Amino acid sequence: MQTRAERKKRELWPELQDHYQKRLMLMGVSFTCILFLLIGRLAYIQLMKGHDYKNRAMRQWFKELPAGINRGKIYDRNMIPLTNRNKSSYLILYPDIFQRSQENLEIISELTKISPYVLKYEVLASHRPIQLEVKNYDINFIKKVFTMRGVYPIDREERYSRNGLASHVIGYINKIDNVGSKGIEKQLDDILTENQSDMLGAIVDAQKRMIPGLGYKTIESNPGKIKKNIVLTIDYRVQRIIEEAFDKYHQKGSVVVLDAQNGDILGMVSRPNYDQNNVAAYLESNNKELYNRAVQMAYPPGSVFKIVVAAAALEYGLVDLKDTFYCKGYEKIDGVVMKCNSYEDGGHGEINLEKAFAVSCNSAFIQLGQQVGGKKVMEMAKNLGFGSPTNIELPEETKGNLPSEDYMKGAGIGNISIGQGTLEATPLQIAKLTSVIANDGVMRDIRLLKKIVDEKGNVLQENFPEKSSRVLSEGTARKIQQMMEKVVKEGTGSKIHLDDFGGAAGKTGSAEAFSEGRPVVHAWFTGYFPLKTPKYIITIIIEGGGGGGKVAAPLFHEIGERIALLEK
């Protein structure tokens, strides 16, 4: 027989059972929610913040080192690197933690070839990290360096090669803040530095000594972000040819090589050269090593400008190739005597336009310039690119200079007709002029930047040339081609012999100017080859070189022959 308590419990049991089930269910739901929150938090830590926490942990045993120059690479048209070509070994020293024992100093001295005394009292006087180039790479000494505090050996890509190939095109950077200061480095600085701020560090123990076998780690500051590289139109092989050829004979001047078919710059040389790793050495120099003479310096074009005068006369129908002039060896305008190269021989006598162009007769072209008039000559010069920059990706480019209308009154028109006076043009502008003639009167935009690529070479952006435009009638261009061909065959450019490669055409020039306060004569030659289907435009100026036919034309021949042999 049940007691009263038992009966009471029995009566309440359904209510208690329901109460306990609700509590269990509540507890189950609570634990499930907590479990999901923990899983979510773990996923957040692993997936969203994992990289950040990993970097924080790494910094505990990660000694950050100067990573050198973090910039995108610059390539030639065939993906041959123009920067970051070589690696060098360095020691990174932290003076605050480096133990300056005599033994340590002697080991560092053996590797760097810096005396222990200089290391101790001069080099290590700084409180900033010091980078010392390893000049005697001895593996036994390198092993000993790993046991030192605050010394870290590292192999690093050099931004610039010691031979400075295409140095004026590439330019240079301010190494303190990694900002482009000249050339492509300056113009495309934003692209070259985008997402490039990674950290490099050594794996160290508590004593800040490198842990053998673990080496170095790189921490990406912008993981997953694209790093960009630049591909130029420069051809490494052509660039090397023109630099070697110019350096063999001359010290000052410039060479520009264009692809005649699309306006690409295949090579650009400026001399004297400079060391991109030691720009400070040239800041006070009078030789203007840091100037890119191809675009940054404008010169009187001399007789090369006779192409423009002839183009104006032919285009306006004022003369034809067989029309004659009389050369007595000089011309006199308003009391100013302007001599022809035939002055000592008493002049060329009666001479037609084609022959006058071939032998570069000043008298004939002064008469022709007077006949055409300064206004029409300047209109033609502007149409052919004079007085305007080509707008390639070099921020230093100058537009040259065109004379004023007042200057061309009187004797001024005589000077302009032979490329003298206040008229000035850059070698690149002369190359562009030559390209117009080679392309039957069609002007193509000049291009230096080809494309932007990622680290795997995938194209991110293509720099397509702008549309070409006709600036000279085909008939006029063909007549000038005929005259330029005669320059090489029987005129002032007869030292060029490229018949085995389809022949060449061009124009010599000898331009009077002043350099460092004294009169000089710059030697010009601009031309193209082969004759039937021009592929290459080559423009040369040699400062103080004298006659273009004697100095610049032979250099054109050597460069042209070596470039042509690349296709064999």
Side-chain angles (χ1 to χ4, degrees):
M1 190 172 179
Q2 293 179 329
T3 64
R4 185 176 180 181
E6 289 174 338
R7 287 198 302 270
K8 186 69 172 176
K9 184 177 181 180
R10 185 179 179 85
E11 291 172 0
L12 294 175
W13 175 246
E15 293 182 17
L16 290 171
Q17 190 177 31
D18 184 58
H19 175 71
Y20 289 140
Q21 286 178 343
K22 289 181 179 179
R23 288 186 64 181
L24 286 171
M25 186 176 294
L26 181 61
M27 290 176 64
V29 170
S30 298
F31 279 120
T32 301
C33 290
I34 291 171
L35 180 61
F36 276 111
L37 286 173
L38 289 173
I39 292 172
R41 178 63 177 172
L42 183 61
Y44 173 76
I45 292 172
Q46 290 289 335
L47 302 177
M48 303 297 293
K49 301 291 288 183
H51 185 79
D52 182 50
Y53 288 138
K54 177 185 176 183
N55 287 346
R56 292 186 188 182
M58 283 185 68
R59 289 190 181 98
Q60 302 297 318
W61 38 271
F62 180 89
K63 181 63 178 176
E64 185 178 349
L65 305 176
I69 301 168
N70 285 325
R71 296 175 73 82
K73 296 180 176 65
I74 300 174
Y75 295 95
D76 90 328
R77 65 191 301 109
N78 299 309
M79 297 303 293
I80 297 174
L82 297 173
T83 62
N84 304 73
R85 291 178 59 84
N86 305 310
K87 281 190 176 182
S88 296
S89 298
Y90 288 87
L91 297 180
I92 311 298
L93 273 75
Y94 286 78
D96 293 341
I97 58 177
F98 174 65
Q99 294 177 327
R100 308 182 189 191
S101 68
Q102 189 62 30
E103 180 184 2
N104 286 352
L105 290 171
E106 289 178 357
I107 291 172
I108 301 298
S109 176
E110 286 290 338
L111 290 168
T112 63
K113 295 303 178 183
I114 301 173
S115 73
Y117 180 87
V118 172
L119 281 171
K120 185 174 182 178
Y121 294 105
E122 295 182 21
V123 175
L124 294 171
S126 172
H127 294 289
R128 295 182 177 181
I130 300 165
Q131 303 178 53
L132 301 177
E133 185 178 359
V134 175
K135 296 183 178 179
N136 173 34
Y137 194 93
D138 188 307
I139 190 62
N140 293 319
F141 288 126
I142 293 292
K143 288 179 180 178
K144 291 180 180 180
V145 166
F146 281 103
T147 65
M148 299 180 189
R149 289 182 58 190
V151 186
Y152 310 101
I154 185 172
D155 291 334
R156 193 173 63 208
E157 287 183 341
E158 296 284 6
R159 182 64 175 176
Y160 306 120
S161 301
R162 297 186 189 279
N163 64 358
L165 194 79
S167 58
H168 290 88
V169 174
I170 295 168
Y172 55 86
I173 62 170
N174 182 334
K175 292 185 178 181
I176 295 175
D177 53 16
N178 191 23
V179 172
S181 297
K182 205 116 181 195
I184 288 293
E185 294 277 31
K186 178 179 181 179
Q187 185 69 15
L188 302 179
D189 186 67
D190 291 344
I191 294 172
L192 291 168
T193 56
E194 187 175 347
N195 302 321
Q196 294 283 349
S197 55
D198 295 345
M199 290 190 301
L200 176 68
I203 311 305
V204 298
D205 61 16
Q207 299 299 316
K208 301 302 180 184
R209 295 174 299 193
M210 285 190 65
I211 300 175
L214 295 183
Y216 301 91
K217 296 288 184 183
T218 299
I219 296 181
E220 296 186 24
S221 57
N222 298 293
K225 298 289 186 179
I226 295 175
K227 297 178 181 180
K228 298 178 180 179
N229 302 295
I230 300 299
V231 179
L232 301 180
T233 60
I234 294 290
D235 187 311
Y236 177 86
R237 303 166 304 166
V238 171
Q239 183 71 26
R240 188 173 60 185
I241 285 171
I242 59 179
E243 294 200 17
E244 289 175 353
F246 194 94
D247 290 341
K248 190 160 52 174
Y249 304 108
H250 309 292
Q251 294 181 332
K252 290 185 178 181
S254 176
V255 181
V256 175
V257 179
L258 301 182
D259 185 323
Q261 298 175 356
N262 58 23
D264 283 356
I265 297 176
L266 301 178
M268 180 182 286
V269 169
S270 178
R271 288 296 184 266
N273 205 358
Y274 70 100
D275 182 356
Q276 291 161 286
N277 295 302
N278 187 23
V279 173
Y282 307 92
L283 296 178
E284 302 298 327
S285 173
N286 293 323
N287 287 327
K288 298 183 178 179
E289 291 93 343
L290 300 180
Y291 279 69
N292 185 345
R293 283 165 159 79
V295 297
Q296 199 173 358
M297 293 181 66
Y299 306 84
S303 292
V304 169
F305 193 72
K306 290 173 182 175
I307 297 173
V308 177
V309 179
L314 292 167
E315 192 78 345
Y316 292 115
L318 301 176
V319 294
D320 205 352
L321 298 187
K322 300 304 177 184
D323 288 355
T324 60
F325 303 85
Y326 187 81
C327 169
K328 56 183 180 290
Y330 67 93
E331 294 295 313
K332 189 174 182 178
I333 305 176
D334 290 349
V336 178
V337 175
M338 287 163 274
K339 296 180 180 179
C340 179
N341 54 26
S342 63
Y343 177 78
E344 299 295 336
D345 299 323
H348 289 112
E350 189 172 281
I351 188 171
N352 64 34
L353 177 62
E354 184 178 30
K355 181 70 173 179
F357 189 90
V359 299
S360 205
C361 175
N362 284 348
S363 292
F365 271 85
I366 291 172
Q367 295 172 39
L368 183 61
Q370 290 178 299
Q371 182 179 346
V372 176
K375 183 177 180 180
K376 288 181 178 178
V377 170
M378 284 304 104
E379 285 177 358
M380 180 57 67
K382 290 178 183 177
N383 288 341
L384 295 173
F386 285 75
S388 301
T390 64
N391 293 322
I392 60 168
E393 294 78 7
L394 292 177
E396 303 85 18
E397 184 180 17
T398 182
K399 65 179 182 178
N401 188 64
L402 292 176
S404 65
E405 289 186 17
D406 287 340
Y407 179 84
M408 290 184 291
K409 296 175 181 177
I413 184 60
N415 280 327
I416 296 306
S417 299
I418 57 175
Q420 293 291 162
T422 58
L423 178 68
E424 292 180 329
T426 66
L428 185 60
Q429 287 173 325
I430 298 298
K432 188 174 184 178
L433 161 69
T434 311
S435 175
V436 171
I437 305 303
N439 284 292
D440 298 332
V442 174
M443 178 177 285
R444 304 188 189 284
D445 279 344
I446 306 301
R447 185 174 67 148
L448 180 58
L449 173 64
K450 185 175 174 128
K451 56 189 174 183
I452 300 170
V453 299
D454 64 16
E455 291 185 300
K456 295 181 179 179
N458 299 313
V459 178
L460 303 175
Q461 181 180 331
E462 189 87 34
N463 183 33
F464 293 105
E466 297 292 329
K467 292 182 180 179
S468 56
S469 59
R470 178 166 293 282
V471 295
L472 200 62
S473 69
E474 185 175 347
T476 296
R478 290 286 177 87
K479 290 177 181 178
I480 297 176
Q481 289 172 10
Q482 182 178 331
M483 290 194 293
M484 291 175 72
E485 184 178 348
K486 197 159 189 175
V487 169
V488 174
K489 285 186 174 180
E490 54 187 76
T492 53
S494 59
K495 291 191 176 182
I496 297 171
H497 306 286
L498 294 176
D499 292 342
D500 291 343
F501 306 101
K507 183 70 187 79
T508 59
S510 302
E512 297 177 359
F514 279 87
S515 177
E516 300 176 6
R518 60 185 180 84
V520 296
V521 177
H522 301 321
W524 282 96
F525 190 89
T526 188
Y528 60 87
F529 76 96
L531 291 172
K532 290 185 178 179
T533 54
K535 292 183 179 180
Y536 302 102
I537 310 292
I538 304 175
T539 297
I540 299 167
I541 184 170
I542 300 166
E543 291 187 19
K550 294 179 180 178
V551 181
L555 184 59
F556 178 97
H557 168 82
E558 179 174 338
I559 290 172
E561 185 176 54
R562 291 183 62 182
I563 290 175
L565 288 172
L566 292 175
E567 300 181 4
K568 294 293 185 179

